[in-house]
Amino acid sequence: MDVCVVGGCGRVGLPLGIALASRGLSVVLYDIDATAVDTVNAAVLPFAEHGAAELLAEAVAAGRLVATTEPSSVGRADALIVVVGTPVDEHLNPDLGAVPRAIERGAEHLRDGQLIVLRSTVYPGVTALTERLLSGRGLDVDVAFCPERIAEGKAMTELFELPQIVAARTPQALDRAEKLFRTLTDSIVRLEPEEAELAKLFTNTWRYLKFAAANQFWMMANDFGLDFARIRHAVTFDYPRADDLPMPGFAAGPCLLKDTMQLAAFNRNNFVLGHSAMLINEGLPLYLVSRLEDRFDLSGLTVGILGMAFKGGSDDSRDSLAYKLRKILTLKARETLCTDPFVRDDRFLPLDEVLKRADLLIIAAPHPQYADLETDTPLIDMWGLTGTGVLV
């Protein structure tokens, strides 16, 4: 095989494997999730990813893409790409062992001459740690760090269009990694490993900080009875220096908070901006409910939460702040109902039923299905999805 993707049936690994296979490479996806492996081998996507289903079916039918739970698969390919989650612990400190554990699981099958590419977002120094780990096992391999940069739902476009950061300690490893990713894109940026590790953390943290700024501005405007959407329009209209000011909304998901906290840990927890952003973004559900309590007697109302994914148009509910909102409303409201057109959960109700039963509606995830809702029930839309302002 040309490439083995470790963690290959997940939301990052599978689109990458499909993209590489679509360019003619032979790809094996190694994953410990047997259900996901069976699903992929049946040419079925285990999650939503625009444009991937047809390419997956073609790659599986042509024999260019196969999934397996067999650890020995890591030794079958010239290049090994490690794509695993890199969580923080209960104290918001990085788990430095996630990538090494993934490699150790199949380490006995690795062989000299392979290219080992780390693609997960990692704490600075994990690439060097991996180099020492492999060297300590007597392996003569090339190691590179080439972080993923895609947004969920856009992988099959962005893998081919976005510049790819490529980093390695030696010229040979750098050249091999660049050659591999030029299969997907001609736009390559070369860095040292530690530079690339920080570049990826800076990227996600910058987005988190921007969302926090927008959310803080929204709170300020709300507290003075002003509509932030109108203010933001004036700020950004034909004014390019402010056109990256987002609308408010829940800044959640498996990356932004986690990577902001990794960066804080790297800087000895001396990261005032990052910690402030966490307090703002994570505190948004509490702020929203407190504003609602000023307007409504929640104890007598049934509240419907529209959208439980962490972002609009997605079926991914990981670390979604909609669940924190639901937890708070469970204590405050008479009843809390949830619905989502993409996220599957037996506790969720059809949209029509929620619209019928709720006394108050909150758009928690800006799914496009909610933009044209027809309802006489009070609707809270902090995203500005319905075009009626964001004053709460």
Side-chain angles (χ1 to χ4, degrees), residues 51-69:
E54 183 177 339
L55 292 177
L56 171 63
E58 291 174 357
V60 170
R64 292 193 304 272
L65 187 72
V66 62
T68 180
T69 58

Side-chain angles (χ1 to χ4, degrees), residues 108-306:
E108 63 182 292
H109 303 288
L110 297 177
R111 53 184 172 77
D112 290 346
Q114 285 182 293
L115 170 66
I116 312 295
V117 177
L118 308 186
R119 192 151 177 83
S120 307
T121 305
V122 298
Y123 183 82
V126 167
T127 303
L129 177 64
T130 302
E131 291 169 336
R132 294 195 298 270
L133 168 67
L134 295 169
S135 177
R137 297 186 68 94
L139 287 164
D140 182 14
V141 295
D142 290 318
V143 177
F145 175 59
C146 307
E148 61 88 10
R149 312 185 78 192
I150 61 170
E152 283 186 23
K154 300 181 179 179
M156 306 319 298
T157 299
E158 294 187 343
L159 280 168
F160 302 108
E161 293 182 354
L162 292 181
Q164 175 62 56
I165 294 173
V166 170
R169 196 83 55 197
T170 67
Q172 175 175 295
L174 200 58
D175 288 343
R176 291 183 69 186
E178 178 172 337
K179 181 180 179 181
L180 173 62
F181 282 97
R182 282 195 181 278
T183 304
L184 302 179
T185 178
D186 288 329
S187 185
I188 301 292
V189 180
R190 289 189 172 213
L191 290 177
E192 295 292 325
E194 289 73 24
E195 292 174 331
E197 289 168 339
L198 278 180
K200 175 57 177 175
L201 290 178
F202 285 169
T203 298
N204 284 355
T205 300
W206 177 238
R207 284 181 58 77
Y208 197 64
L209 293 175
K210 286 199 293 185
F211 292 145
N215 285 331
Q216 182 81 85
F217 291 164
W218 175 64
M219 293 183 212
M220 289 179 181
N222 264 324
D223 290 343
F224 280 89
L226 303 173
D227 188 346
F228 174 74
R230 290 171 54 83
I231 300 169
R232 177 184 173 275
H233 171 73
V235 170
T236 60
F237 181 71
D238 284 345
Y239 195 70
R241 288 190 288 280
D243 60 11
D244 62 344
L245 175 61
M247 286 291 282
F250 290 154
C255 296
L256 301 188
L257 170 61
K258 181 259 297 184
D259 292 341
T260 302
M261 292 303 98
Q262 288 204 90
L263 189 57
F266 171 72
N267 203 45
R268 300 176 296 279
N269 278 326
N270 180 23
F271 190 20
V272 175
L273 277 174
H275 287 116
S276 296
M278 177 187 69
L279 293 175
I280 294 166
N281 290 331
E282 288 291 308
L284 202 59
L286 278 168
Y287 172 82
L288 178 59
V289 173
S290 71
R291 290 287 301 181
L292 294 178
E293 286 183 301
D294 292 339
R295 291 179 53 187
F296 305 97
D297 179 9
L298 294 179
S299 65
L301 300 182
T302 294
V303 181
I305 300 178
L306 310 183

Side-chain angles (χ1 to χ4, degrees), residues 9 29 34-44 56 60-61 65-69:
C9 293
L29 308 172
T35 300
V37 165
D38 291 342
T39 301
V40 170
N41 282 332
V44 176
L56 171 63
V60 170
L65 187 72
V66 62
T68 180
T69 58

Side-chain angles (χ1 to χ4, degrees), residues 250 285 288-289 305 321-329 362 364:
F250 290 154
L288 178 59
V289 173
I305 300 178
L321 287 176
Y323 289 85
K324 181 179 284 191
L325 176 65
R326 181 181 68 177
K327 184 183 296 184
I328 299 167
L329 287 171
I362 303 172

